[in-house]
């Protein structure tokens, strides 16, 4: 049992194999008619209980996303919809310290710059605050959580 535990927890063990496999899957994408859907893993790999909540897009996924967007945007009339768990950006009037720190993607400016010229929509989870706005071509949409809708 201790050999198995060491393998699972070790730097070359099962956890690393599973983490590497998971990371290699993103971004996921499919094209249905004139719409392309791209799913990003925006969860930072957990270093601790606290950092597990931070948003991040891994560097290898960035490279794959950039290549994928170049391929997709070369198709005329294709609408590109990107989905992620964390906020890409929170409008200034909706910002609080906890929203920025805990909900937004750490490298959001770079991602916003890339998506604003290559994608049509960014839809995300972490739906604590309702908003929608546009940056260049990109529509960023956050639906409110059920709790927020019930109290409104």
């Amino acid at each position: 049992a201790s050999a198995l535990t060491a393998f699972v927890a070790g730097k070359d063990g099962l956890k690393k194999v599973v983490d590497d496999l998971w990371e290699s899957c993103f971004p996921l994408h499919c094209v249905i008619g004139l719409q392309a859907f791209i799913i990003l893993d925006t969860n930072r790999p957990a270093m601790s209980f606290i950092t597990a909540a931070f948003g991040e897009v891994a560097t290898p996924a960035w490279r794959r996303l950039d290549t994928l967007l170049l391929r997709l945007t070369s198709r005329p009339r294709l609408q590109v919809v990107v989905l992620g768990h964390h906020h890409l950006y929170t409008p200034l009037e909706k910002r609080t310290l906890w929203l920025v720190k805990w909900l937004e993607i750490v490298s959001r400016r770079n991602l916003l710059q890339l998506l604003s010229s290559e994608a049509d929509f960014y839809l995300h989870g972490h739906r604590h605050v309702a908003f929608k706005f546009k940056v260049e071509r990109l529509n960023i949409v956050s639906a409110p959580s059920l709790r927020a809708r019930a109290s409104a």
Side-chain angles (χ1 to χ4, degrees):
S2 63
L4 178 60
T5 302
F7 172 70
V8 169
K11 69 178 178 68
D12 296 321
L14 185 60
K15 181 183 181 321
K16 177 159 180 18
V17 170
V18 171
D19 286 349
D20 288 349
L21 178 63
W22 178 261
E23 187 276 323
S24 71
C25 293
F26 291 94
L28 295 170
H29 76 283
C30 70
V31 177
I32 303 170
L34 291 175
Q35 289 187 308
F37 298 91
I38 300 173
I39 301 172
L40 300 176
D41 177 13
T42 64
N43 290 313
R44 173 182 276 185
M47 303 297 179
S48 71
F49 170 72
I50 293 176
T51 61
F54 293 155
E56 184 175 52
V57 176
T59 301
W62 271 104
R63 287 192 288 270
R64 291 190 296 269
L65 175 63
D66 193 30
T67 302
L68 177 61
L69 286 169
L70 283 172
R71 282 191 4 236
L72 292 174
T73 55
S74 69
R75 296 178 59 176
R77 299 186 338 220
L78 186 69
Q79 186 178 56
V80 178
V81 180
V82 180
L83 302 112
H85 179 67
H86 287 83
H87 286 214
L88 177 59
Y89 187 78
T90 306
L92 293 175
E93 66 274 6
K94 301 282 187 174
R95 290 169 94 72
T96 64
L97 181 60
W98 73 272
L99 274 175
V100 174
K101 184 167 180 93
W102 296 103
L103 303 182
E104 288 187 350
I105 297 169
V106 174
S107 53
R108 66 192 167 275
R109 286 186 184 96
N110 297 336
L111 187 57
L112 180 62
Q113 184 177 15
L114 174 63
L115 295 181
S116 65
S117 62
E118 305 291 338
D120 297 290
F121 289 93
Y122 180 81
L123 312 175
H124 61 80
H126 259 309
R127 302 171 311 154
H128 302 288
V129 179
F131 58 81
K132 66 180 179 177
F133 65 98
K134 191 169 185 167
V135 176
E136 294 180 31
R137 167 182 171 173
L138 182 68
N139 294 280
I140 300 172
V141 181
S142 173
S145 63
L146 290 175
R147 197 171 339 152
R149 264 187 262 149
S151 64

